[in-house]
């Protein structure tokens, strides 16, 4: 079975930074593409960032490009999201997801088969 658990969320002032972590179980983690999505109240879950299984390719939503950095450590079965210059509109529950195919980078939520329970990020004005 696959289990994903996010951590690192919290309350931060606008302009501040947070680093989210996602710990994964599963022996095939190295071959999975991983992604971060977020969901604000009364909104649909939206794409944030994704990273290939080798870590050599990344893709970001325009809303976070230049501010967020996705990375992974396959030896630790972990993926990270460094969030800088946070804005109030970044407030949401952040989820990590696993794309077991990992052949191409995708932004579609349907392509991610497994999800963690999420971690809350709140950015104050």
């Amino acid at each position: 079975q696959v289990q994903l658990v996010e951590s690192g969320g919290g309350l931060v002032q606008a302009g501040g930074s947070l680093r989210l972590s996602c710990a994964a179980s599963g022996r095939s983690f190295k071959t999975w593409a991983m992604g971060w999505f977020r969901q604000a109240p009364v909104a649909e879950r939206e794409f944030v960032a994704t990273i290939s299984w080798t870590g050599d390719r990344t893709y970001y939503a325009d809303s976070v490009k230049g501010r967020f950095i996705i990375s992974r450590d396959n030896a630790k079965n972990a993926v990270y999201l460094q969030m800088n210059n946070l804005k109030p509109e970044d407030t949401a529950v952040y989820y990590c997801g696993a794309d077991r195919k990992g052949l191409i980078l995708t932004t579609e939520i349907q392509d991610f088969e497994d999800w963690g329970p999420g971690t809350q990020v709140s950015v104050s004005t």
Side-chain angles (χ1 to χ4, degrees), residues 24 26-34 51-56 71-80:
R27 62 178 182 175
S28 298
F29 175 82
K30 184 178 180 179
T31 65
W32 303 341
M34 299 294 296
I51 186 169
S52 63
W53 69 270
T54 60
D56 63 338
S71 62
R72 67 190 298 160
D73 186 341
N74 289 341
K76 297 181 179 179
N77 276 15
V79 62
Y80 308 97

Side-chain angles (χ1 to χ4, degrees), residues 35-124:
W36 286 96
F37 289 72
R38 66 188 182 186
Q39 187 168 17
V42 298
E44 294 184 346
R45 191 169 299 187
E46 65 174 348
F47 167 76
V48 175
T50 187
I51 186 169
S52 63
W53 69 270
T54 60
D56 63 338
R57 290 177 293 134
T58 59
Y59 188 78
Y60 299 88
D62 288 341
S63 59
V64 306
K65 187 177 297 183
R67 298 189 297 121
F68 291 9
I69 301 172
I70 187 172
S71 62
R72 67 190 298 160
D73 186 341
N74 289 341
K76 297 181 179 179
N77 276 15
V79 62
Y80 308 97
L81 185 68
Q82 178 67 44
M83 305 184 295
N84 300 314
N85 192 24
L86 283 161
K87 304 176 180 180
E89 51 263 45
D90 295 319
T91 295
V93 176
Y94 283 70
Y95 301 89
C96 65
D99 173 13
R100 301 176 195 171
K101 296 178 181 177
L103 299 177
I104 59 172
L105 294 182
T106 177
T107 65
E108 298 296 325
I109 188 171
Q110 294 85 355
D111 293 325
F112 292 81
E113 297 93 347
D114 302 289
W115 299 91
T119 185
Q120 176 71 51
V121 172
S122 299
V123 184
S124 63

